Amino acid sequence: MKKKIISSTILALLFIANIYGQETYQTFTNAGFKVKCGCKLYVNTTFISMAKQQGANNILAAYICAENEDNPDIGVINNINIYDESKSYKNIQPSGYSTFEKKYLEQYATNLKNAGISYTYTTYQGVSAIEYTFDQQGLPTKAIIFLKNKKSYLLQVGTRKSLTTKYNSLKTSFVIL
């Protein structure tokens, strides 16, 4: 009987810790951000490897996690990718940074348009950004891309249930350190 009580107490504590754990920040000092997320983010080595094979050599960080991955109806995939764009700023005077950033986003928007993906310009964390929604292998996905501190950031959430709510939760909790 005592073992059952102890086991039940431990399970209850783990359950509560899991619930509250979703409301605490995960901090990635090396990547320079913190975020609240319903699952534990880990380095997306597959994405990094594939991107490097395609010639991308400016990836600073790529994180991914999945919630309820065994249930496609309620599962959620979260992605955060950060790129070092400092080489692109190298020959630009600081007074030209905003022009470069505008052209960067315009090129990104052109790529989205060419892929048949609609997008909107918005302001996020005090800078211009592009938000878009698309289907990623049948999974409804929302994303935002923006440039800040000579880095580009991509935040992405895919799920079939409450997409906007889950996306907004990730987006509003994302903090650059």
Side-chain angles (χ1 to χ4, degrees):
M1 179 69 164
K2 201 173 190 180
K3 282 186 178 180
K4 275 188 175 182
I5 291 172
I6 291 171
S7 295
S8 296
T9 303
I10 290 171
L11 284 174
L13 288 172
L14 288 172
F15 178 73
I16 290 168
N18 186 39
I19 290 171
Y20 286 107
Q22 294 177 6
E23 295 303 317
T24 61
Y25 277 97
Q26 295 179 55
T27 303
F28 301 89
T29 309
N30 290 346
F33 75 94
K34 67 181 184 175
V35 68
K36 291 181 182 178
C37 191
C39 50
K40 185 170 173 31
L41 289 162
Y42 62 90
V43 175
N44 189 347
T45 55
T46 303
F47 173 79
I48 293 170
S49 176
M50 287 174 52
K52 285 184 178 181
Q53 287 175 4
Q54 294 177 358
N57 58 359
N58 63 337
I59 299 171
L60 287 176
Y63 291 92
I64 190 169
C65 70
E67 301 172 51
N68 301 308
E69 58 192 297
D70 57 337
N71 187 337
D73 292 329
I74 61 170
V76 182
I77 298 173
N78 298 288
N79 286 301
I80 298 173
N81 297 335
I82 304 170
Y83 296 86
D84 179 4
E85 303 294 349
S86 60
K87 286 183 183 177
S88 299
Y89 286 85
K90 190 175 180 181
N91 297 320
I92 301 172
Q93 295 295 319
S95 60
Y97 287 0
S98 62
T99 302
F100 166 75
E101 292 160 358
K102 181 181 178 191
K103 287 181 180 181
Y104 183 99
L105 290 178
E106 286 173 351
Q107 181 59 53
Y108 199 92
T110 298
N111 293 344
L112 291 172
K113 184 178 177 183
N114 290 342
I117 298 171
S118 61
Y119 59 89
T120 57
Y121 281 93
T122 187
T123 300
Y124 177 67
Q125 298 202 5
V127 297
S128 292
I130 295 176
E131 263 182 319
Y132 55 100
T133 304
F134 65 105
D135 253 25
Q136 186 168 312
Q137 298 175 346
L139 183 67
T141 304
K142 285 185 79 80
I144 189 165
I145 185 163
F146 65 100
L147 290 144
K148 194 164 188 167
N149 304 325
K150 297 182 183 178
K151 296 175 183 142
S152 64
Y153 296 84
L154 175 69
L155 311 178
Q156 186 174 295
V157 176
T159 186
R160 289 183 176 82
K161 186 168 182 165
S162 305
L163 176 59
T164 300
T165 301
K166 291 174 183 176
Y167 165 75
N168 285 338
S169 177
L170 183 78
K171 186 175 80 166
T172 58
S173 74
F174 184 82
V175 177
I176 297 172
L177 302 174

